[in-house]
Coordinates of all heavy atoms in Angstrom, one line a residue:
L1 N -9.8 12.8 5.9 CA -9.0 11.6 6.2 C -8.3 11.9 7.6 O -7.8 12.9 7.8 CB -8.0 11.3 5.2 CG -8.5 11.0 3.8 CD1 -7.3 10.8 2.8 CD2 -9.3 9.8 3.8
K2 N -8.3 10.9 8.4 CA -7.6 11.0 9.7 C -6.1 10.6 9.5 O -5.8 9.5 9.0 CB -8.3 10.0 10.7 CG -9.7 10.3 11.0 CD -10.3 9.3 11.9 CE -11.7 9.5 12.2 NZ -12.3 8.5 13.0
D3 N -5.3 11.5 9.9 CA -3.8 11.3 9.9 C -3.3 10.9 8.5 O -2.4 10.1 8.4 CB -3.4 10.3 10.9 CG -3.8 10.8 12.3 OD1 -3.7 11.9 12.6 OD2 -4.2 9.9 13.1
G4 N -4.0 11.3 7.4 CA -3.5 10.9 6.1 C -3.8 9.5 5.7 O -3.1 9.0 4.8
E5 N -4.7 8.8 6.4 CA -5.0 7.4 6.0 C -5.6 7.3 4.6 O -6.4 8.1 4.3 CB -6.0 6.8 7.0 CG -5.3 6.3 8.3 CD -6.3 5.5 9.1 OE1 -7.3 6.2 9.5 OE2 -6.1 4.4 9.3
K6 N -5.2 6.3 3.9 CA -5.8 6.0 2.6 C -7.3 5.6 2.7 O -8.1 6.0 1.9 CB -5.0 4.9 1.9 CG -5.5 4.5 0.5 CD -5.4 5.6 -0.5 CE -5.9 5.0 -1.8 NZ -6.1 6.0 -2.8
Y7 N -7.6 4.7 3.7 CA -8.9 4.2 3.9 C -9.4 4.6 5.3 O -9.1 3.8 6.3 CB -8.9 2.7 3.7 CG -8.4 2.2 2.4 CD1 -7.1 1.6 2.3 CD2 -9.1 2.4 1.2 CE1 -6.6 1.2 1.1 CE2 -8.5 2.0 0.0 CZ -7.3 1.4 0.0 OH -6.8 1.0 -1.2
P8 N -10.1 5.7 5.4 CA -10.5 6.1 6.8 C -11.7 5.3 7.3 O -12.4 4.7 6.6 CB -10.9 7.5 6.5 CG -11.4 7.6 5.1 CD -10.5 6.6 4.4
E9 N -11.7 5.2 8.6 CA -12.9 4.6 9.3 C -13.2 3.2 8.9 O -14.3 2.8 8.8 CB -14.1 5.5 9.0 CG -14.0 6.9 9.4 CD -15.2 7.7 9.0 OE1 -16.2 7.2 8.5 OE2 -15.1 9.0 9.0
V10 N -12.1 2.4 8.7 CA -12.3 1.0 8.5 C -11.7 0.2 9.6 O -10.7 0.7 10.3 CB -11.7 0.5 7.1 CG1 -12.4 1.1 5.9 CG2 -10.2 0.7 7.1
N11 N -12.2 -0.9 10.0 CA -11.7 -1.7 11.1 C -10.4 -2.4 10.8 O -10.0 -2.5 9.6 CB -12.8 -2.6 11.7 CG -13.3 -3.6 10.8 OD1 -12.5 -4.0 9.9 ND2 -14.5 -4.1 11.0
S12 N -9.9 -3.1 11.8 CA -8.6 -3.8 11.6 C -8.7 -5.0 10.7 O -7.7 -5.3 10.0 CB -8.0 -4.2 13.0 OG -8.9 -5.1 13.6
Y13 N -9.9 -5.6 10.6 CA -10.1 -6.7 9.7 C -9.9 -6.3 8.2 O -9.3 -7.0 7.4 CB -11.4 -7.4 9.9 CG -11.6 -7.9 11.3 CD1 -12.4 -7.3 12.2 CD2 -10.9 -9.1 11.6 CE1 -12.5 -7.9 13.5 CE2 -11.0 -9.6 12.9 CZ -11.8 -9.0 13.8 OH -12.0 -9.5 15.0
V14 N -10.5 -5.1 7.9 CA -10.4 -4.6 6.5 C -9.0 -4.2 6.2 O -8.5 -4.5 5.1 CB -11.3 -3.4 6.3 CG1 -11.2 -2.8 5.0 CG2 -12.8 -3.8 6.5
K15 N -8.3 -3.6 7.1 CA -6.9 -3.2 6.9 C -6.0 -4.5 6.7 O -5.1 -4.5 5.9 CB -6.4 -2.4 8.1 CG -7.0 -1.0 8.1 CD -6.5 -0.2 9.3 CE -7.2 1.2 9.3 NZ -6.8 2.0 10.4
T16 N -6.3 -5.5 7.5 CA -5.5 -6.8 7.3 C -5.8 -7.4 5.9 O -4.9 -7.9 5.3 CB -5.9 -7.8 8.4 OG1 -5.6 -7.2 9.7 CG2 -5.1 -9.1 8.3
F17 N -7.1 -7.3 5.5 CA -7.5 -7.8 4.2 C -6.7 -7.1 3.1 O -6.2 -7.7 2.1 CB -9.0 -7.7 4.0 CG -9.4 -8.1 2.6 CD1 -9.5 -9.4 2.2 CD2 -9.9 -7.2 1.7 CE1 -9.9 -9.8 1.0 CE2 -10.3 -7.5 0.5 CZ -10.3 -8.8 0.1
I18 N -6.6 -5.8 3.2 CA -6.0 -4.9 2.2 C -4.5 -5.3 2.1 O -3.9 -5.4 1.1 CB -6.2 -3.4 2.5 CG1 -7.6 -3.1 2.3 CG2 -5.3 -2.6 1.6 CD1 -8.0 -1.7 2.8
D19 N -3.9 -5.5 3.3 CA -2.5 -5.9 3.3 C -2.3 -7.2 2.7 O -1.3 -7.5 2.0 CB -2.0 -6.0 4.8 CG -1.8 -4.6 5.4 OD1 -1.8 -3.6 4.7 OD2 -1.8 -4.5 6.7
C20 N -3.2 -8.2 2.9 CA -3.1 -9.5 2.2 C -3.2 -9.4 0.7 O -2.5 -10.2 0.0 CB -4.2 -10.4 2.8 SG -3.9 -10.9 4.5
I21 N -3.9 -8.5 0.2 CA -4.0 -8.3 -1.2 C -2.7 -7.9 -1.8 O -2.2 -8.5 -2.8 CB -5.1 -7.2 -1.6 CG1 -6.5 -7.8 -1.3 CG2 -5.0 -6.8 -3.1 CD1 -7.6 -6.8 -1.4
Y22 N -2.0 -7.0 -1.1 CA -0.7 -6.6 -1.6 C 0.3 -7.8 -1.5 O 1.2 -8.0 -2.4 CB -0.2 -5.4 -0.9 CG -1.1 -4.2 -1.0 CD1 -1.5 -3.5 0.1 CD2 -1.5 -3.8 -2.3 CE1 -2.3 -2.4 -0.1 CE2 -2.4 -2.7 -2.4 CZ -2.8 -2.0 -1.3 OH -3.6 -1.0 -1.4
V23 N 0.3 -8.5 -0.4 CA 1.2 -9.7 -0.3 C 0.9 -10.7 -1.3 O 1.9 -11.2 -2.0 CB 1.0 -10.3 1.1 CG1 1.8 -11.6 1.2 CG2 1.6 -9.3 2.2
A24 N -0.3 -11.0 -1.6 CA -0.7 -12.0 -2.6 C -0.3 -11.5 -4.0 O 0.2 -12.3 -4.8 CB -2.2 -12.3 -2.6
G25 N -0.4 -10.3 -4.3 CA 0.0 -9.7 -5.6 C 1.5 -9.9 -5.8 O 2.0 -10.2 -6.9
R26 N 2.3 -9.6 -4.7 CA 3.7 -9.8 -4.8 C 4.1 -11.3 -5.0 O 5.0 -11.6 -5.7 CB 4.4 -9.2 -3.6 CG 4.5 -7.7 -3.7 CD 5.5 -7.2 -2.6 NE 5.1 -7.6 -1.3 CZ 4.3 -6.9 -0.4 NH1 3.8 -5.8 -0.8 NH2 4.0 -7.4 0.8
E27 N 3.4 -12.2 -4.3 CA 3.7 -13.6 -4.4 C 3.4 -14.2 -5.8 O 4.2 -15.0 -6.3 CB 2.9 -14.4 -3.3 CG 3.3 -14.2 -1.9 CD 4.6 -14.8 -1.6 OE1 4.9 -15.9 -2.1 OE2 5.4 -14.1 -0.8
V28 N 2.4 -13.7 -6.4 CA 2.0 -14.3 -7.7 C 2.8 -13.6 -8.8 O 3.3 -14.3 -9.7 CB 0.4 -14.1 -7.9 CG1 0.1 -14.4 -9.3 CG2 -0.3 -14.9 -6.9
H29 N 2.9 -12.3 -8.8 CA 3.5 -11.6 -9.9 C 4.9 -11.1 -9.6 O 5.5 -10.5 -10.5 CB 2.6 -10.4 -10.3 CG 1.3 -10.8 -10.8 ND1 1.1 -11.4 -12.0 CD2 0.1 -10.8 -10.2 CE1 -0.2 -11.7 -12.2 NE2 -0.8 -11.3 -11.1
G30 N 5.4 -11.2 -8.4 CA 6.8 -10.7 -8.1 C 6.8 -9.2 -7.8 O 5.7 -8.6 -7.9
D31 N 7.9 -8.7 -7.5 CA 8.0 -7.3 -7.2 C 7.9 -6.4 -8.4 O 7.7 -5.2 -8.2 CB 9.4 -7.0 -6.5 CG 9.4 -7.6 -5.1 OD1 8.3 -7.8 -4.5 OD2 10.5 -7.9 -4.6
E32 N 8.0 -6.9 -9.6 CA 8.0 -6.0 -10.8 C 6.6 -5.6 -11.1 O 6.4 -4.6 -11.7 CB 8.6 -6.7 -12.0 CG 7.8 -7.9 -12.6 CD 8.2 -9.2 -11.9 OE1 9.0 -9.2 -11.0 OE2 7.5 -10.2 -12.3
V33 N 5.6 -6.3 -10.6 CA 4.2 -5.9 -10.9 C 3.6 -5.4 -9.6 O 3.6 -6.0 -8.5 CB 3.3 -7.1 -11.3 CG1 1.9 -6.7 -11.5 CG2 3.9 -7.6 -12.7
K34 N 3.1 -4.1 -9.6 CA 2.6 -3.5 -8.5 C 1.0 -3.4 -8.5 O 0.5 -3.0 -9.5 CB 3.1 -2.1 -8.4 CG 2.7 -1.3 -7.1 CD 3.2 0.1 -7.1 CE 2.8 0.8 -5.9 NZ 1.4 1.0 -5.7
V35 N 0.4 -3.9 -7.5 CA -1.1 -3.7 -7.4 C -1.3 -2.3 -6.9 O -0.7 -1.8 -6.0 CB -1.6 -4.7 -6.3 CG1 -3.1 -4.5 -6.1 CG2 -1.3 -6.2 -6.7
D36 N -2.3 -1.6 -7.6 CA -2.5 -0.2 -7.3 C -3.1 -0.1 -5.9 O -3.5 -1.1 -5.3 CB -3.4 0.5 -8.3 CG -4.8 0.1 -8.2 OD1 -5.1 -1.0 -7.6 OD2 -5.7 0.8 -8.8
D37 N -3.2 1.1 -5.4 CA -3.6 1.4 -4.0 C -5.1 1.2 -3.8 O -5.6 1.1 -2.7 CB -3.3 2.8 -3.5 CG -1.8 2.9 -3.2 OD1 -1.2 1.9 -3.0 OD2 -1.3 4.0 -3.3
G38 N -5.8 1.1 -4.9 CA -7.3 1.0 -4.8 C -7.9 2.3 -4.6 O -7.3 3.3 -4.2
T39 N -9.2 2.4 -4.9 CA -10.0 3.6 -4.8 C -11.2 3.3 -4.0 O -11.9 2.4 -4.2 CB -10.4 4.1 -6.2 OG1 -9.3 4.2 -7.0 CG2 -11.1 5.5 -6.1
M40 N -11.4 4.1 -2.9 CA -12.6 3.9 -2.1 C -13.7 4.9 -2.5 O -13.5 6.1 -2.7 CB -12.2 4.2 -0.6 CG -13.4 4.1 0.3 SD -12.9 4.4 2.0 CE -13.0 2.8 2.7
Y41 N -14.9 4.3 -2.6 CA -16.1 5.1 -3.0 C -17.1 4.9 -1.9 O -17.3 3.8 -1.4 CB -16.7 4.5 -4.3 CG -15.8 4.6 -5.5 CD1 -15.1 3.5 -5.9 CD2 -15.6 5.8 -6.2 CE1 -14.2 3.6 -7.0 CE2 -14.8 5.9 -7.3 CZ -14.1 4.8 -7.7 OH -13.3 4.8 -8.8
R42 N -17.7 6.0 -1.5 CA -18.8 6.0 -0.5 C -20.1 5.5 -1.2 O -20.3 5.9 -2.4 CB -19.1 7.4 0.0 CG -17.9 8.0 0.8 CD -17.7 7.2 2.1 NE -16.5 7.8 2.7 CZ -15.9 7.3 3.8 NH1 -16.4 6.2 4.3 NH2 -14.9 7.8 4.3
T43 N -20.8 4.7 -0.6 CA -22.1 4.1 -1.1 C -23.2 4.3 -0.1 O -22.9 4.5 1.1 CB -21.9 2.6 -1.5 OG1 -21.6 1.9 -0.3 CG2 -20.8 2.4 -2.5
P44 N -24.4 4.1 -0.4 CA -25.5 4.2 0.5 C -25.4 3.1 1.7 O -25.9 3.4 2.8 CB -26.8 3.9 -0.3 CG -26.4 4.3 -1.7 CD -25.0 3.9 -1.8
Y45 N -24.8 2.0 1.4 CA -24.7 1.0 2.4 C -23.3 1.0 3.2 O -23.1 0.2 4.0 CB -24.9 -0.4 1.8 CG -23.9 -0.7 0.6 CD1 -22.7 -1.1 0.8 CD2 -24.4 -0.5 -0.7 CE1 -21.8 -1.4 -0.2 CE2 -23.6 -0.8 -1.7 CZ -22.3 -1.2 -1.5 OH -21.4 -1.4 -2.6
G46 N -22.4 1.9 2.8 CA -21.1 2.0 3.5 C -20.1 2.5 2.5 O -20.0 3.7 2.2
A47 N -19.3 1.6 1.9 CA -18.3 1.9 1.0 C -17.9 0.7 0.1 O -18.2 -0.4 0.5 CB -17.1 2.5 1.7
R48 N -17.1 1.0 -0.9 CA -16.5 -0.1 -1.7 C -15.1 0.4 -2.1 O -14.9 1.5 -2.3 CB -17.4 -0.5 -2.9 CG -17.3 0.4 -4.1 CD -18.1 -0.2 -5.3 NE -17.8 0.6 -6.4 CZ -18.6 1.6 -6.8 NH1 -19.7 2.0 -6.2 NH2 -18.3 2.3 -7.9
I49 N -14.3 -0.6 -2.2 CA -12.9 -0.4 -2.7 C -12.7 -1.2 -3.9 O -13.0 -2.4 -4.0 CB -11.9 -0.8 -1.6 CG1 -12.1 -0.1 -0.3 CG2 -10.5 -0.5 -2.1 CD1 -11.3 -0.6 0.9
E50 N -12.1 -0.5 -5.0 CA -11.9 -1.2 -6.2 C -10.4 -1.1 -6.5 O -9.7 -0.1 -6.3 CB -12.6 -0.4 -7.4 CG -14.1 -0.6 -7.3 CD -14.8 0.1 -8.5 OE1 -14.1 0.7 -9.4 OE2 -16.0 0.0 -8.6
W51 N -9.8 -2.3 -6.9 CA -8.4 -2.4 -7.3 C -8.4 -2.8 -8.8 O -9.1 -3.6 -9.3 CB -7.7 -3.5 -6.5 CG -7.5 -3.2 -5.1 CD1 -6.4 -2.5 -4.6 CD2 -8.3 -3.5 -4.0 NE1 -6.6 -2.4 -3.2 CE2 -7.7 -3.0 -2.8 CE3 -9.5 -4.2 -3.9 CZ2 -8.2 -3.2 -1.6 CZ3 -10.1 -4.4 -2.6 CH2 -9.4 -3.9 -1.5
A52 N -7.4 -2.2 -9.5 CA -7.1 -2.6 -10.9 C -5.9 -3.6 -10.8 O -4.8 -3.3 -10.3 CB -6.7 -1.4 -11.7
L53 N -6.2 -4.9 -11.1 CA -5.2 -5.9 -11.0 C -4.5 -6.1 -12.3 O -5.0 -5.7 -13.4 CB -5.8 -7.2 -10.6 CG -6.6 -7.2 -9.2 CD1 -7.3 -8.5 -9.0 CD2 -5.6 -6.8 -8.1
P54 N -3.3 -6.8 -12.3 CA -2.6 -7.1 -13.6 C -3.5 -7.9 -14.5 O -4.4 -8.7 -14.1 CB -1.4 -7.9 -13.2 CG -1.2 -7.5 -11.8 CD -2.5 -7.2 -11.2
G55 N -3.4 -7.7 -15.8 CA -4.2 -8.4 -16.8 C -5.5 -7.8 -17.0 O -6.5 -8.5 -17.4
E56 N -5.7 -6.5 -16.7 CA -6.9 -5.8 -16.9 C -8.1 -6.4 -16.1 O -9.2 -6.3 -16.5 CB -7.3 -5.7 -18.3 CG -6.3 -4.9 -19.1 CD -6.7 -4.7 -20.6 OE1 -7.9 -4.8 -20.9 OE2 -5.8 -4.5 -21.4
N57 N -7.8 -7.0 -15.0 CA -8.8 -7.5 -14.1 C -9.1 -6.5 -13.0 O -8.3 -5.6 -12.7 CB -8.3 -8.8 -13.4 CG -8.2 -9.9 -14.4 OD1 -9.0 -10.1 -15.2 ND2 -7.1 -10.6 -14.3
K58 N -10.3 -6.6 -12.5 CA -10.7 -5.6 -11.4 C -11.2 -6.4 -10.2 O -11.9 -7.5 -10.4 CB -11.8 -4.7 -11.9 CG -12.1 -3.6 -10.9 CD -13.4 -2.8 -11.2 CE -13.6 -2.4 -12.6 NZ -14.8 -1.5 -12.7
M59 N -10.9 -6.0 -9.0 CA -11.4 -6.7 -7.8 C -12.1 -5.6 -7.0 O -11.6 -4.5 -6.8 CB -10.3 -7.3 -7.0 CG -10.9 -8.0 -5.8 SD -9.7 -9.0 -4.9 CE -8.7 -7.8 -4.1
V60 N -13.3 -5.9 -6.5 CA -14.1 -5.0 -5.7 C -14.4 -5.6 -4.4 O -14.9 -6.8 -4.3 CB -15.5 -4.7 -6.5 CG1 -16.3 -3.7 -5.7 CG2 -15.2 -4.1 -7.8
A61 N -14.3 -4.8 -3.3 CA -14.6 -5.2 -1.9 C -15.7 -4.3 -1.5 O -15.5 -3.0 -1.5 CB -13.4 -5.2 -1.0
H62 N -16.9 -4.8 -1.0 CA -18.0 -4.0 -0.5 C -17.9 -4.0 1.0 O -17.8 -5.1 1.6 CB -19.3 -4.6 -1.0 CG -19.5 -4.5 -2.5 ND1 -20.1 -3.4 -3.1 CD2 -19.2 -5.4 -3.4 CE1 -20.1 -3.6 -4.4 NE2 -19.6 -4.8 -4.6
L63 N -17.9 -2.8 1.6 CA -17.8 -2.7 3.0 C -19.1 -2.2 3.6 O -19.6 -1.1 3.2 CB -16.7 -1.7 3.4 CG -15.3 -1.9 2.7 CD1 -14.4 -0.8 3.1 CD2 -14.8 -3.2 3.2
K64 N -19.8 -3.0 4.4 CA -21.1 -2.7 4.9 C -21.0 -2.0 6.2 O -20.3 -2.4 7.1 CB -21.8 -4.1 5.2 CG -23.2 -4.2 4.7 CD -23.8 -5.5 4.8 CE -23.2 -6.5 5.7 NZ -24.1 -7.7 5.9
D65 N -21.7 -0.9 6.4 CA -21.8 -0.2 7.6 C -23.1 -0.6 8.3 O -24.2 -0.3 7.8 CB -21.8 1.3 7.3 CG -21.8 2.2 8.6 OD1 -21.9 1.6 9.7 OD2 -21.6 3.4 8.5
K66 N -23.0 -1.2 9.5 CA -24.1 -1.7 10.2 C -25.1 -0.6 10.5 O -26.3 -0.9 10.7 CB -23.7 -2.4 11.4 CG -23.1 -3.8 11.1 CD -22.8 -4.5 12.4 CE -22.2 -5.9 12.1 NZ -22.0 -6.6 13.3
T67 N -24.7 0.6 10.7 CA -25.6 1.7 11.0 C -26.5 2.2 9.8 O -27.5 2.8 10.0 CB -24.9 2.9 11.6 OG1 -24.0 3.4 10.6 CG2 -24.1 2.5 12.8
K68 N -26.0 1.8 8.6 CA -26.7 2.2 7.4 C -27.6 1.2 6.7 O -28.3 1.4 5.8 CB -25.7 2.7 6.3 CG -25.0 3.9 6.8 CD -24.0 4.4 5.7 CE -23.3 5.7 6.1 NZ -22.4 6.1 5.1
I69 N -27.6 0.0 7.3 CA -28.4 -1.1 6.7 C -29.4 -1.6 7.7 O -29.3 -1.4 8.9 CB -27.6 -2.3 6.2 CG1 -26.8 -2.9 7.3 CG2 -26.6 -1.8 5.1 CD1 -26.1 -4.2 7.0
R70 N -30.4 -2.3 7.2 CA -31.5 -2.9 8.1 C -31.0 -4.1 8.7 O -30.4 -5.0 8.0 CB -32.7 -3.1 7.3 CG -33.3 -1.9 6.7 CD -34.5 -2.2 5.9 NE -35.6 -1.9 6.9 CZ -36.9 -2.2 6.6 NH1 -37.2 -2.8 5.5 NH2 -37.8 -1.9 7.5
H71 N -31.2 -4.3 10.0 CA -30.8 -5.5 10.7 C -31.6 -6.7 10.3 O -32.8 -6.6 10.2 CB -30.9 -5.3 12.2 CG -30.4 -6.4 13.0 ND1 -29.1 -6.8 13.0 CD2 -31.1 -7.2 13.9 CE1 -29.0 -7.9 13.9 NE2 -30.2 -8.1 14.4
K72 N -31.0 -7.8 10.1 CA -31.6 -9.1 9.7 C -32.4 -9.0 8.4 O -33.4 -9.7 8.2 CB -32.5 -9.6 10.8 CG -31.8 -10.0 12.0 CD -32.7 -10.7 13.0 CE -31.9 -11.2 14.2 NZ -32.6 -12.1 15.0
K73 N -31.9 -8.2 7.5 CA -32.5 -8.2 6.1 C -31.5 -8.5 5.1 O -30.3 -8.1 5.3 CB -33.1 -6.8 5.9 CG -34.3 -6.4 6.7 CD -35.5 -7.2 6.4 CE -36.7 -6.9 7.3 NZ -37.9 -7.6 7.0
R74 N -31.9 -9.1 4.0 CA -30.9 -9.4 3.0 C -30.6 -8.1 2.2 O -31.5 -7.3 2.0 CB -31.6 -10.4 2.0 CG -30.7 -11.5 1.6 CD -31.5 -12.5 0.9 NE -31.1 -12.4 -0.5 CZ -31.3 -13.4 -1.4 NH1 -31.9 -14.5 -1.0 NH2 -30.9 -13.3 -2.6
W75 N -29.4 -7.9 1.8 CA -29.0 -6.7 1.2 C -28.4 -7.0 -0.2 O -27.3 -6.8 -0.5 CB -28.0 -5.8 2.0 CG -26.7 -6.4 2.1 CD1 -26.3 -7.5 2.8 CD2 -25.5 -5.9 1.4 NE1 -24.9 -7.7 2.6 CE2 -24.4 -6.7 1.8 CE3 -25.3 -4.8 0.6 CZ2 -23.2 -6.5 1.3 CZ3 -24.0 -4.7 0.1 CH2 -23.0 -5.5 0.5
S76 N -29.2 -7.6 -1.1 CA -28.8 -8.0 -2.4 C -28.6 -6.8 -3.4 O -29.0 -5.7 -3.2 CB -29.7 -9.0 -3.0 OG -31.0 -8.5 -3.1

């Protein structure tokens, strides 16, 4: 990890998205409910981040690395 970052090598759009998740969690559930930091997993296409949300829900964000996927091909 670079400089102790939780999510290394992600661009500013992903970092802004992660910040919005925390803000939305506080808006909906208040300060008493904390959204966890999420866990980043490396995948063949880049990475994914999983969050455990209140109410036993899970949210997953898939991060695509353009150098690891084929250009102009569907990646289902």
Side-chain angles (χ1 to χ4, degrees):
L1 298 175
K2 297 178 183 176
D3 301 320
E5 278 188 299
K6 175 72 177 167
Y7 306 108
E9 303 171 13
V10 297
N11 62 26
S12 62
Y13 297 107
V14 175
K15 290 179 182 180
T16 302
F17 175 73
I18 292 169
D19 291 339
C20 289
I21 291 172
Y22 300 132
V23 170
R26 282 192 304 270
E27 289 291 322
V28 172
H29 297 287
D31 289 333
E32 68 273 359
V33 176
K34 183 182 181 296
V35 176
D36 75 340
D37 286 339
T39 306
M40 179 181 249
Y41 299 99
R42 299 288 178 190
T43 61
Y45 55 82
R48 80 176 187 265
I49 303 174
E50 292 183 358
W51 289 273
L53 302 175
E56 298 183 23
N57 294 315
K58 188 191 315 186
M59 184 168 74
V60 179
H62 295 271
L63 308 175
K64 224 173 22 170
D65 184 353
K66 288 185 178 184
T67 62
K68 294 183 178 181
I69 60 169
R70 302 180 93 191
H71 183 63
K72 292 191 175 188
K73 294 289 181 180
R74 225 170 109 159
W75 72 288
S76 56

